[in-house]
């Protein structure tokens, strides 16, 4: 039976931003009901103890986020949440005391990725206020700046990032410049349980993208799987449109889905360093794992 380091659960396909790096989903916008969430947890429990509340959508928008975290804790799961951080002032009090919460990932590049963002200082101040309290309670924090260009020569981008990093440096009383310590694709510790990661911007895989030679490896269905808001199971967190629809766990047991013919073809294909799915051959992120 396949086991996974993590299973992504998309509790909502709705987002409050429209970032340039994140294609808007063509799927129906909806919020996962608590009973559906509980069903998903029961189905994936034999396969993993860690869930990530993220695929598309902004999880802090979910009106019952606190109840979802309580349900996860009751079933023995640890939870990571990835957020753009704009709603942390509202959602923070609902989630701070939840024992299931293991890690918060803040996509700080969302501020500059969303046209019309205002008040960088206020945005970061609210996030940092939450981070101080959450990290003191044992929650791991990851600040993400995933907006580097391949040559990293964009003066506008570097200037924006420097503003953000300067505010973090001041808030955490750092005696070094973060961008002198951190390399693309890696992270630096800036406080107990608080890290910052920088990386290049990546393009979401799409059937409209050019196809590569199909050689290479991926961790899809090896270390992770994902469940979309309607119960559709996909092999990884980057299949935001459900192109590789392996089945719906509200209709078919998760164990059967991840051991089904299409899932196994994908899994054993990557064992041979071969991308058997068209979407995988059009995924630039896969190239990061080499050939």
């Amino acid at each position: 039976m396949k086991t996974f380091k993590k299973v992504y659960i998309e509790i909502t396909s709705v987002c409050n931003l429209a970032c340039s790096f994140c294609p808007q989903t063509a799927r129906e916008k909806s919020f996962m009901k608590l009973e559906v969430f509980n069903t998903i947890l029961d189905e994936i429990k034999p396969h993993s103890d860690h869930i990530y509340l993220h695929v598309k959508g902004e999880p802090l928008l979910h009106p019952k986020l606190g109840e979802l975290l309580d349900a996860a804790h009751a079933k023995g799961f640890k939870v990571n949440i990835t957020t753009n951080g704009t709603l942390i002032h509202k959602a923070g009090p609902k989630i701070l005391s939840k024992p299931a919460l293991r890690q918060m990932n803040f996509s700080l590049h969302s501020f500059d990725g969303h046209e019309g963002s205002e008040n960088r200082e206020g945005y970061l101040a609210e996030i940092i206020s939450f981070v101080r309290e959450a990290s003191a309670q044992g929650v791991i924090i990851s600040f993400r700046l995933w907006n580097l260009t391949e040559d990293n020569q964009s003066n506008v981008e570097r200037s924006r990032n420097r503003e953000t990093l300067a505010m973090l440096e001041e808030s955490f009383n750092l005696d070094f410049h973060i961008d002198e310590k951190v390399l693309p694709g890696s992270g630096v510790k800036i406080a107990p349980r608080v890290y910052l990661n920088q990386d290049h911007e990546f393009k979401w895989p799409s059937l409209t993208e050019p196809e590569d030679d199909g050689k290479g490896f991926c961790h899809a269905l090896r270390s992770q799987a994902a469940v979309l808001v309607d119960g559709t199971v996909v092999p990884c967190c980057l299949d935001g449109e459900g192109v590789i629809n392996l089945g719906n766990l509200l209709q078919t047991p998760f164990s059967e889905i991840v051991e089904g013919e299409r899932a196994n073809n994908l899994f054993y294909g990557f064992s041979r360093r071969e991308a058997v799915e068209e979407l995988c051959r059009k995924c630039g992120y896969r190239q990061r794992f080499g050939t």
Side-chain angles (χ1 to χ4, degrees):
M1 183 176 70
K2 289 189 180 76
T3 57
F4 304 108
K5 181 180 178 182
K6 55 198 173 188
V7 175
Y8 291 83
I9 302 178
E10 181 189 67
I11 58 173
T12 180
S13 55
V14 180
C15 189
N16 61 324
L17 299 184
C19 296
S20 58
F21 55 81
C22 185
Q24 297 296 295
T25 180
R27 294 180 288 118
E28 180 182 357
K29 290 178 168 53
S30 59
F31 292 86
M32 185 176 287
K33 294 181 179 179
L34 181 58
E35 55 267 31
V36 171
F37 186 72
N38 272 305
T39 297
I40 292 171
L41 295 183
D42 289 338
E43 286 290 324
I44 69 174
K45 184 58 182 174
H47 301 267
S48 185
D49 292 324
H50 288 82
I51 58 175
Y52 284 52
L53 303 187
H54 179 60
V55 177
K56 286 293 186 75
E58 169 51 55
L60 299 192
L61 273 173
H62 201 291
K64 295 189 176 181
L65 180 57
E67 293 176 55
L68 299 183
L69 289 171
D70 288 339
H73 177 64
K75 295 180 185 295
F77 286 94
K78 289 297 183 182
V79 180
N80 287 26
I81 297 176
T82 298
T83 173
N84 58 44
T86 56
L87 302 173
I88 196 63
H89 60 294
K90 294 181 179 179
K94 302 177 186 176
I95 64 179
L96 262 176
S97 61
K98 301 302 182 183
L101 185 61
R102 174 186 175 271
Q103 181 169 327
M104 291 288 294
N105 304 316
F106 288 96
S107 298
L108 300 185
H109 47 282
S110 299
F111 183 87
D112 292 311
H114 176 72
E115 186 177 352
S117 291
E118 298 178 345
N119 191 7
R120 184 190 309 271
E121 187 172 353
Y123 164 74
L124 288 171
E126 289 177 341
I127 292 174
I128 290 168
S129 176
F130 170 87
V131 164
R132 292 192 191 285
E133 196 167 351
S135 60
Q137 295 180 12
V139 178
I140 300 167
I141 304 295
S142 174
F143 292 127
R144 295 174 172 179
L145 274 175
W146 290 1
N147 61 357
L148 300 179
T149 56
E150 285 303 320
D151 58 9
N152 197 23
Q153 295 301 310
S154 168
N155 289 330
V156 173
E157 167 196 280
R158 291 171 67 183
S159 174
R160 289 170 172 174
N161 283 355
R162 179 91 293 276
E163 288 180 46
T164 295
L165 295 175
M167 292 178 194
L168 293 175
E169 290 159 3
E170 181 179 0
S171 295
F172 291 97
N173 298 314
L174 302 185
D175 59 0
F176 60 89
H177 283 186
I178 295 172
D179 41 0
E180 294 175 357
K181 293 269 190 176
V182 64
L183 297 173
S186 66
V188 60
K189 186 175 183 179
I190 61 176
R193 291 177 291 278
V194 181
Y195 303 84
L196 182 133
N197 293 273
Q198 280 196 296
D199 212 335
H200 296 102
E201 181 177 326
F202 69 89
K203 293 190 72 172
W204 285 75
S206 168
L207 294 178
T208 62
E209 291 295 316
E211 190 166 326
D212 62 29
D213 62 6
K215 303 298 182 184
F217 179 74
C218 181
H219 294 282
L221 292 181
R222 204 167 296 269
S223 66
Q224 64 168 280
V227 185
L228 302 183
V229 69
D230 66 351
T232 297
V233 178
V234 292
C236 77
C237 63
L238 293 183
D239 188 358
E241 291 304 299
V243 173
I244 308 176
N245 184 341
L246 301 176
N248 191 298
L249 60 62
L250 302 181
Q251 302 160 2
T252 306
F254 183 76
S255 296
E256 290 185 21
I257 292 173
V258 297
E259 293 293 353
E261 181 179 4
R262 190 174 187 181
N264 279 331
N265 285 342
L266 184 147
F267 180 91
Y268 291 113
F270 281 127
S271 295
R272 303 188 303 269
R273 299 300 192 266
E274 176 186 348
V276 301
E277 290 280 350
E278 180 184 359
L279 186 69
C280 299
R281 296 192 297 271
K282 296 181 174 182
C283 176
Y285 195 85
R286 197 189 85 248
Q287 302 301 323
R288 299 187 182 199
F289 305 124
T291 58

